[in-house]
Structures are given as structure tokens and as C-alpha cells.
Amino acid sequence: MLKRLALIFGPVIAALALVLVVLFIGPLDKHKHNLPLEEQAAVSLSPTVFRQSYLKNMALSDEDHRFVPFFGSSEWNRMDAFHPAVLARAYHRNYQPFLLGQKGAEALTQYFGMQQIMKNMHHKQAVFFVSPQWFTKADQQSAAFQFYFSKDQALAFLQNQTGTYADRYAAKRLLATYPNVPYADLIQKVADGNKLSATDLNYIRFNTTVHRNEDAFFSRINVGDNLKKRVIPKVKELPQPYNAERLDAKAVQLGQAQTRNNRFGILDNFFTNRIGSSFPSLRNAQAHFNYTQSAEYSDFQLDLTQLAKTHTNVIFVIPPVNSKWAKYTGLNENMYQASVRKIKYQLTSQGFKNIVDLSRRGNEPYFMEDTIHLGWRGWLAFDQGVAPFLEHKQPAPMYHLNNHFISHDWNNFDPINNDVNTFK
């Protein structure tokens, strides 16, 4: 009878024991680097990779291969032949972009994602694609934020917080955006300005071990195959060696070939499938849009605070919108440029001096792929601004943060009718 029971339950017990070992001790190869896996993860654009920490930290801590975090949102998924990941691979740059962005991901999502990779951002470089379209009067969409948020992010935030004004504000924003967030009681302590106890910290460390070991075990499952299917094939389309004029001509050629069914320079498939029959109703549909007053400005300040905390040398890219489409939909160009001035003032007044401002180039042919995303020639302009910054040694940044950028006064400051330099 005992032998029979052993045969029946033995495998189950062994499997449970293995799971417990994995969760509480971790896989044996936990600290080993795996370049093929790191390269896959870097261009994966999988929500799993975006949410979790294991593959991000594996790549960003690799001292033999330089991966640079590229923060943004949906633009990274526009993978034509001139995408940053394709150009970096085609021309053997001394870095590879690690794409950190998803549709609907904005400043608050990026802030909590940074908590997970903080130890691998100290005195390194990063690229931050900041879209004025984030800065709407409507708050960060709770559903999108919650989808990209993980328990590991909550635990990393709790481990990293030091009771600063920014910490307290971030905790309050987290509770407001995700009322049922994991570890809400501990996050509430931070929001209230109370110090976490030794018991709290031990509890946080224990749960961090469990979640990160689980992440290490399962994160390889949903990496995807963008590298093989969407990056490497496009490398073969580019001329060799690098030549700016030949690349621009190629970008024009591809843009012309793929934007034939509309007068806006929009990708044919996008115009057919995303605009289609709703086209007539979109005339002047964006006339009321306003990106100049938003709680997003305070959320963006959280990102800047975190980047300054790790002394990360960052280059920011500000995109345009498709000018022809903006005119059709009634999007106010003066309003758009006012939001750009506000973003740039928030950056430059605190020492974030590296900015690639593309915001006035949305009228150039084949610069945009669709209504708001860079394509062909836009990616080339992006690369011409970003690549030299990453490939050559840069002076260390001198940041001087101003907590007044986390305030209703700054969120509501009107840069259309007021000079941003007058903000105190």
C-alpha cells in the first residue's frame, strides 16, 4: 500500500518541492547572462517583459553587451526599416535599444517600471520619448495603468522609497489610480509619510524574493519573436555602409510605396483599418483637444526625479503630429507648441538639457507613419539626434530638481497665455 501511495503521490510531492525551491531559492542560472534571450527581450514589446523585472535586469546588467533603456509608449511598435532597433543592429552601434513602452503607457507607468531597474540605471544613459498626447485633462487611464502594473513594481517602490515629497506623491497617485493595488496598506503608509517598520521591510523582502524567482522561472515564456520576424529581415533592406543621403532616399521610396490610398501620408493599412469609414466624422474632431493642462505634468516630474536619483544621463525626444491630419481634425498647432514649451521648460530648468525637438517637422513628407507616430524619415531624424548622444562620451549631467513641478499650480499653468519662464 505504501509503495502504491508513493507511486501515486511521489511525483506530485516532488513537483511541489521543486516549485518551492524555485520560488524561495530561485533557478540555478538566475545570475547568468544569455545574449540571445536578452536580444529577444529587448525588442519583445511583450506586456510580460514590460511588467516584470528579470529579463530587463538581465540585459541592463550585462557588462559585455550594452543595452540602453528606451522609454516611451506605442511608438516603439512602429517597426519599419528605420526603427531604432533596426538601425542599431544594421550599423553595428555600440548599444542596443531595450524598448520599454506599450500602448497606453504614460509617465506614471514608466515611473513604477523604473523602480524595478533602478540598480542598473546608475550613471548610465537612457532615451525618453515623451509625447504631448500624454498630457490630456483626462487622468491616466486606470485600466491601462493597472494592466501594466505588477506586484514586483509595488514591492520595488516600497524598497526604494525614502520618505521624500515625490515618494509620498507617487504613493497617493498609485492609490488613486489603482485603489485595490497589492500591498495597499504599506503604500498608504508611504502616502501618509509614515516610516515602514522592520517587520514591514522583512515582509517586503520575503515577497520580493518569491515574485522575482517566479518571474525568473516564467518570464521566458512570453518573450515573442520580434527579433527574428520584425527586426532582422528589415536590416537586409538598408544600404551598406551607412550613408545619410542614401538612407533618406530609401525612406522616401518606402514611404511613397506604402501611402498611396490617402492624401495624408498615412500608412495604407492604417488608413484602411483604423480610420476607414469613420473618416468623414473625424473632420474637426480634435478641435477641442488641449495638452497644456494635465496631472500628467506632475507624473512626468516623478520620472525626472527618479532619473536624477540614479544620475542617469537622458536624452528626450519630442515628436510632432502629422500636420495634414492635424489640419483635417482641427488640432490646434499653437496649443501643441505651447505644450512643447511647457515640457521643455520643465526639463531644461532642472538640468535636463539633452532634447531632440521634432515637434515642428510633422509637415515633412514621409516623416510620420500615421496620425501621431514617427515613420521612415522621422525615425532617421530620431536616429540622427539620439545615436551620437549614445555612441560618444557625454558630460555628466547636473540636475537640480524643483518640487513645485509636482503641484496643481504647474499642472494648471497655461503656457498659451503665459510665458513659462514666469512660473515660480
Side-chain angles (χ1 to χ4, degrees):
M1 179 62 73
L2 290 174
K3 288 182 179 180
R4 289 179 180 177
L5 290 174
L7 289 172
I8 295 171
F9 294 107
V12 176
I13 294 170
L16 288 173
L18 179 61
V19 170
L20 291 174
V21 167
V22 167
L23 291 181
F24 295 105
I25 298 176
L28 295 177
D29 68 343
K30 183 176 179 180
H31 301 292
K32 291 183 179 179
H33 288 288
N34 181 332
L35 181 60
L37 181 59
E38 292 167 8
E39 290 182 319
Q40 280 184 284
V43 295
S44 167
L45 294 173
S46 157
T48 301
V49 174
F50 187 53
R51 280 192 296 257
Q52 303 303 333
S53 65
Y54 179 70
L55 293 177
K56 289 185 285 192
N57 281 313
M58 177 193 284
L60 296 178
S61 65
D62 192 334
E63 295 182 359
D64 296 323
H65 304 92
R66 183 177 171 225
F67 290 88
V68 176
F70 277 47
F71 300 102
S73 52
S74 55
E75 61 282 330
W76 303 137
N77 202 32
R78 269 58 185 179
M79 284 186 172
D80 61 38
F82 304 92
H83 188 279
V86 179
L87 291 175
R89 194 172 189 88
Y91 298 110
H92 308 289
R93 302 278 166 73
N94 64 10
Y95 65 89
Q96 293 187 55
F98 198 110
L99 306 175
L100 296 172
Q102 294 283 325
K103 180 181 179 180
E106 297 177 0
L108 196 64
T109 293
Q110 293 294 0
Y111 170 77
F112 285 103
M114 286 180 193
Q115 305 302 310
Q116 298 172 297
I117 59 175
M118 181 174 166
K119 66 181 180 181
N120 290 312
M121 291 183 65
H122 283 278
H123 300 282
K124 293 186 179 181
Q125 290 182 302
V127 177
F128 200 115
F129 196 104
V130 53
S131 298
Q133 289 89 352
W134 293 359
F135 298 82
T136 60
K137 286 190 175 181
D139 207 348
Q140 160 78 57
Q141 294 183 359
S142 294
F145 177 82
Q146 292 178 28
F147 180 72
Y148 298 128
F149 191 81
S150 68
K151 290 180 178 179
D152 184 70
Q153 291 176 13
L155 291 164
F157 169 71
L158 289 167
Q159 284 191 311
N160 295 337
Q161 71 84 33
T162 55
T164 65
Y165 180 77
D167 289 333
R168 298 195 301 274
Y169 178 78
K172 291 174 184 176
R173 285 288 286 149
L174 177 55
L175 291 166
T177 310
Y178 194 169
N180 296 320
V181 64
Y183 313 109
D185 55 336
L186 297 176
I187 293 166
Q188 186 65 59
K189 277 191 172 185
V190 177
D192 294 338
N194 297 326
K195 189 175 181 179
L196 297 175
S197 68
T199 301
D200 293 335
L201 294 172
N202 286 331
Y203 176 74
I204 291 165
R205 281 191 288 268
F206 172 79
N207 281 277
T208 298
T209 299
V210 173
H211 287 298
R212 293 202 171 169
N213 287 339
E214 181 182 3
D215 178 20
F217 190 72
F218 293 108
S219 61
R220 305 161 188 257
I221 296 173
N222 295 312
V223 176
D225 207 9
N226 276 345
L227 181 64
K228 182 179 178 180
K229 293 181 178 179
R230 302 179 66 191
V231 175
I232 292 176
K234 290 181 171 59
V235 168
K236 301 173 184 177
E237 298 179 23
L238 298 175
Q240 294 290 348
Y242 183 95
N243 180 284
E245 291 184 0
R246 291 178 65 196
L247 281 168
D248 186 66
K250 182 70 174 179
V252 170
Q253 176 191 350
L254 291 178
Q256 286 176 332
Q258 297 176 50
T259 58
R260 291 177 173 171
N261 70 354
N262 64 90
R263 65 179 188 269
F264 303 100
I266 292 173
L267 193 69
D268 289 337
N269 288 339
F270 185 96
F271 193 83
T272 299
N273 299 321
R274 298 286 295 277
I275 296 175
S277 60
S278 61
F279 173 67
S281 65
L282 294 175
R283 183 185 292 274
N284 295 322
Q286 296 181 337
H288 65 287
F289 282 19
N290 189 341
Y291 305 143
T292 65
Q293 296 173 303
S294 171
E296 187 73 16
Y297 287 98
S298 287
D299 292 346
F300 184 49
Q301 183 63 22
L302 290 177
D303 293 340
L304 302 186
T305 301
Q306 185 61 31
L307 292 165
K309 188 175 183 179
T310 53
H311 304 283
T312 306
N313 203 348
V314 198
I315 189 167
F316 293 84
V317 180
I318 304 176
V321 291
N322 183 317
S323 295
K324 291 181 179 179
W325 184 251
K327 185 175 181 180
Y328 179 77
T329 59
L331 186 73
N332 189 308
E333 175 66 15
N334 290 332
M335 177 278 299
Y336 195 86
Q337 290 303 323
S339 70
V340 172
R341 287 196 300 275
K342 187 171 178 178
I343 292 168
K344 289 174 71 174
Y345 178 74
Q346 188 169 346
L347 290 170
T348 58
S349 66
Q350 299 180 91
F352 295 90
K353 305 292 188 182
N354 300 302
I355 303 171
V356 179
D357 182 1
L358 305 176
S359 66
R360 294 186 182 275
R361 301 183 64 177
N363 62 339
E364 297 181 22
Y366 315 117
F367 202 88
M368 309 299 290
E369 180 181 285
D370 51 45
T371 57
I372 60 172
H373 294 109
L374 294 181
W376 311 290
R377 299 178 79 195
W379 281 132
L380 278 179
F382 174 101
D383 184 69
Q384 289 163 1
V386 169
F389 174 82
L390 294 178
E391 288 207 291
H392 301 106
K393 187 174 178 61
Q394 303 296 327
M398 298 290 291
Y399 300 135
H400 33 273
L401 296 178
N402 182 350
N403 279 337
H404 286 102
F405 288 118
I406 302 178
S407 69
H408 291 297
D409 288 344
W410 178 241
N411 292 343
N412 297 323
F413 184 87
D414 177 10
I416 298 176
N417 299 304
N418 299 280
D419 183 349
V420 290
N421 294 288
T422 65
F423 178 77
K424 304 295 183 183

